[in-house]
Amino acid sequence: MSQPRWAVVVPVKHLAAAKSRLRGALPGVPHEELALALAADTLRAVLACPAVAEALVVTDDARVAAAARAAGARVLPDGPDAGLNAAFRHGAAGTLAGWVAGLTADLPALRPTELAGALLAAQNGRPAVRRFVPDAPGSGTTLLTAPPGVPLDPRFGVGSAVAHAASGALPLSGDWPSLRRDVDTPADLTAAARLGLGPRTAALVAADRPAHPA
């Protein structure tokens, strides 16, 4: 079975408010620069994934929007301005492809091949059923998929894996460590670094080391 081309929706908050638990993880790097790097490296992997027809970034942050357009993504203003799930729904409604995925913007180690594998698994699963990929601890969600004609119906947030399962979505299982490794805390960033960070995040980590050795 050939793989369809997917639309991937990636909401990104205003950088000043994004990733609050990560603040101070790199003392020598402005927090907004780190938040932007996480999103940029996530988007870079999405756009390099052969299964993806379009990446749609939902944001009202001018720097994020400029970086997303420069990378080749489409940008949609966060019209609802009502939180992450509203942004996912807004983005999904504006996609052009029939198969839609919602992806968190904090996956700096993401490998395009792992994203492609998860999307293929979602495509080949039970028809007309939403699927999701739990994060590394298992309580959160990094990826939610919906086939054509089925609403994305996102339930991201604390305990989202249970919430997505309760809503009828089925978990996807596969060897996708970089897809599961979202970054909310300094410990998460260290774990992502062990997998191999994308270039923008890796450069910030390297720049912080001389002034703040481990």
Side-chain angles (χ1 to χ4, degrees), residues 39-149:
D41 283 333
T42 302
L43 187 58
R44 178 178 180 269
V46 170
L47 290 166
C49 176
V52 174
E54 70 163 344
L56 198 160
V57 175
V58 180
T59 190
D60 280 336
D61 190 288
R63 292 185 66 196
V64 173
R69 290 190 183 100
R74 192 156 61 95
V75 175
L76 189 66
D78 187 4
D81 191 22
L84 183 60
N85 289 313
F88 272 118
R89 290 191 294 270
H90 184 53
T95 58
L96 304 176
W99 291 78
V100 179
L103 187 73
T104 60
D106 56 354
L107 300 166
L110 181 61
R111 300 292 181 264
T113 54
E114 292 187 18
L115 177 59
L119 296 178
L120 180 61
Q123 173 206 341
N124 291 339
R126 190 182 304 174
V129 174
R130 292 153 50 248
R131 308 297 297 269
F132 70 96
V133 174
D135 62 9
S139 60
T141 304
T142 60
L143 177 73
L144 175 67
T145 71

